[in-house]
Amino acid sequence: MLERFGHVDTLVNAAGVNSATPFFEITEQEWQRIIDIDLKSVFLACQVFGKAMVDAGRGGSIINISSASSGPPLSKVFTYSVAKGGVNQITQFLANYLAPHNVRVNAILPGFFRPSRTAKYSPKSASPASWGTRP
């Protein structure tokens, strides 16, 4: 990317996968896959492109997509919640670390919404009346 375009002004880290596997059934392989995609990729991209922004001396912006479930996790997304909590920590650290270089680092924490595609991540007891709240 840097060779092709010469510099980078903005990085958006938006990768994310999830799983509804119950806690006692999460395998190490599943854990690692989610951590690698949702957390490690953010670390590596911030390291590579953040350094390029600093080295270029032009400043820049890093935007990390986290999740509202990075705080108290939704009931069935434990590994995802751990990873997104890590994204928040990376974001807070880098916001301070890169500020002297005029590189802004922020996170967006979208809330949970309930289209049919994500229904499997909610407790079966969730009713339409509670869809706007967190279990």
Side-chain angles (χ1 to χ4, degrees):
M1 291 289 272
L2 295 173
E3 290 175 9
R4 182 174 178 190
F5 295 107
H7 68 275
V8 62
D9 296 314
T10 303
L11 169 65
V12 177
N13 285 306
V17 294
N18 208 338
S19 168
T21 305
F23 177 78
F24 290 122
E25 297 172 25
I26 298 170
T27 64
E28 186 176 348
Q29 180 181 3
E30 179 178 324
W31 166 271
Q32 197 60 57
R33 177 179 172 268
I34 293 170
I35 294 298
D36 283 351
I37 293 170
D38 294 359
L39 180 58
K40 184 178 180 181
S41 67
V42 172
F43 163 73
L44 293 173
C46 285
Q47 196 174 46
V48 169
F49 290 102
K51 182 164 179 17
M53 290 176 188
V54 169
D55 289 350
R58 300 167 43 114
S61 179
I62 297 173
I63 302 164
N64 295 323
I65 306 300
S66 181
S67 171
S69 73
S70 63
L74 293 170
S75 60
K76 292 187 177 182
V77 293
F78 173 73
T79 310
Y80 175 82
S81 297
V82 168
K84 293 302 184 173
V87 168
N88 294 348
Q89 294 298 315
I90 289 171
T91 301
Q92 290 173 11
F93 174 80
L94 289 179
N96 187 45
Y97 187 74
L98 296 176
H101 303 283
N102 200 30
V103 177
R104 295 179 318 279
V105 185
N106 300 97
I108 298 172
L109 284 69
F112 186 77
F113 58 95
R114 190 173 168 89
S116 59
R117 190 171 152 189
T118 61
K120 66 184 177 183
Y121 300 116
S122 291
K124 293 189 187 308
S125 62
S127 66
S130 69
W131 289 356
T133 64
R134 295 172 59 172

